[in-house]
Amino acid sequence: MEFWSHDACLLHDTGPGHPERPERLIAVCEALRDAFPDVPWREAPRATRGQLLRVHDASLLATVLDTHSPNRVHVDADTVLSPASAEAALRAAGAAVAATEAVLHGRTQRAFCAVRPPGHHATRDIAMGFCLFDSIAVAAAHACDEGGLERVAIVDFDVHHGNGTQAIFEHDPRVLFLSSHQSPLYPDTGYPEERGDGNIHNAMLRPGAGGDAFRATWRDVLLPELDAFRPQLVLVSAGFDAHWRDPLAQLQLQAEDYAWVTDEIVAIAERHARGRIVSMLEGGYDLDALRESSVAHVAALIAD
Ligand code: ZN
């Protein structure tokens, strides 16, 4: 197990009152350091232009990397570019790539990237929903193009639908995308009929749904698809905003539910992927929920 992060991720400044704030990452890193003192921390490199261009248009790179304003700039109502945001976004995507390389090269079997901004809402050409670059998509494309993998699975249990990841890979059969998310909720995508080329599987949970509904959805609908795909690598969009404490959504998960789904993902990764899993922090906006959920998730990643 390795942890990947970079201090630059703390400097992405979304402004006063914004839920996607540096304190989120501080809470996660402190909780992981306390709970897992023996796990090494690695400093994320910057993603390269070539790595980003596998999944993003040059126009989005220009928006994120070439907006040299001394002030915060809103790219949409919720998505902010501050002077330090480009560096944070490069390190977040770079963590995903470097962690994936570490796992593919066999230096470690599992990795968790404690980074921000999150990524799964960013499409090929649009930064949205607090996300600038889709870091997990950058990692998946890297694993296919550079690592030569033919089957990479992305498992997304963030409470929001990973519309960006889905849009990037909906016509790429090398990548399986599985998502559970609350509906109705931002970004109002992720309907079960959205199937891409058969490589997309979405499951919706109603507001108020708790751990029983979440587990049943994964057990009966999504995990069988993951198993049948026989992934060579599993990437996880680990948002913890389906926790009952989260202020932005209305699901009722507890930390144990994240441990449960992680156990199930680990079992399938052990069966097909030599246990290889790279998990990325996505959303999660209550600090206590982030602390206990990230620890439960990582404990299950380590346990196998
Ligand atoms: Zn989310």
Side-chain angles (χ1 to χ4, degrees):
M1 184 73 193
E2 293 183 353
F3 293 138
W4 286 81
S5 192
H6 196 284
D7 286 347
C9 294
L10 297 172
L11 302 178
H12 167 53
D13 176 10
T14 49
H18 197 292
E20 203 293 280
R21 58 208 191 276
E23 289 79 5
R24 300 176 56 243
L25 186 55
I26 294 169
V28 168
C29 291
E30 286 182 353
L32 294 178
R33 280 200 173 86
D34 283 353
F36 310 105
D38 299 332
V39 173
W41 286 80
R42 311 284 186 211
E43 187 164 90
R46 296 186 187 94
T48 66
R49 223 182 136 73
Q51 290 163 356
L52 296 167
L53 285 169
R54 290 195 182 110
V55 303
H56 291 303
D57 290 352
S59 62
L60 179 62
L61 270 62
T63 299
V64 175
L65 302 178
D66 301 336
T67 301
H68 299 293
S69 166
N71 307 309
R72 284 188 296 272
V73 176
H74 276 258
V75 298
D76 69 16
D78 325 298
T79 310
V80 178
L81 276 172
S82 66
S85 296
E87 179 72 6
L90 288 170
R91 298 289 181 174
V97 170
T100 296
E101 286 193 341
V103 164
L104 291 183
H105 293 161
R107 194 178 74 210
T108 183
Q109 196 178 32
R110 312 263 159 78
F112 180 77
C113 300
V115 291
R116 60 184 286 277
H120 71 156
H121 294 306
T123 69
R124 252 176 213 289
D125 58 347
I126 301 172
M128 59 182 279
F130 313 163
C131 301
L132 300 178
F133 295 137
D134 192 340
S135 300
I136 204 163
V138 176
H142 188 79
C144 293
D145 288 1
E146 192 74 22
L149 299 194
E150 296 169 345
R151 295 183 310 282
V152 175
I154 300 176
V155 173
D156 187 330
F157 56 66
D158 188 282
V159 80
H160 302 94
H161 178 237
N163 62 296
T165 309
Q166 174 175 306
I168 287 166
F169 293 117
E170 61 189 346
H171 301 302
D172 185 344
R174 300 174 302 177
V175 177
L176 178 77
F177 177 70
L178 304 173
S179 176
S180 70
H181 41 272
Q182 179 180 317
S183 176
L185 191 65
Y186 181 91
D188 194 28
T189 52
Y191 289 81
E193 57 269 29
E194 297 169 22
R195 295 292 319 282
D197 287 350
N199 59 325
I200 305 293
H201 297 276
N202 287 303
M204 293 179 149
L205 296 163
R206 293 297 165 203
D212 289 348
F214 175 82
R215 294 184 192 206
T217 288
W218 281 94
R219 188 181 56 236
D220 300 339
V221 180
L222 298 175
L223 290 167
E225 299 292 347
L226 180 62
D227 198 23
F229 183 68
R230 297 182 296 115
Q232 296 164 295
L233 171 70
V234 179
L235 306 178
V236 181
S237 270
F240 299 112
D241 39 10
H243 192 282
W244 65 272
R245 288 180 183 274
D246 195 89
L248 298 193
Q250 291 79 41
L251 296 193
Q252 302 292 323
L253 265 56
Q254 307 201 26
E256 301 77 61
D257 297 309
Y258 293 115
W260 176 85
V261 76
T262 307
D263 282 340
E264 298 292 318
I265 294 165
V266 165
I268 293 173
E270 289 287 351
R271 197 141 59 231
H272 304 294
R274 292 186 238 161
R276 299 182 295 197
I277 301 173
V278 175
S279 179
M280 305 283 306
L281 179 65
E282 298 276 5
Y285 303 96
D286 178 88
L287 300 185
D288 286 333
L290 276 169
R291 285 185 196 97
E292 60 180 51
S293 303
S294 60
V295 167
H297 173 58
V298 168
L301 284 178
I302 290 174
D304 78 277

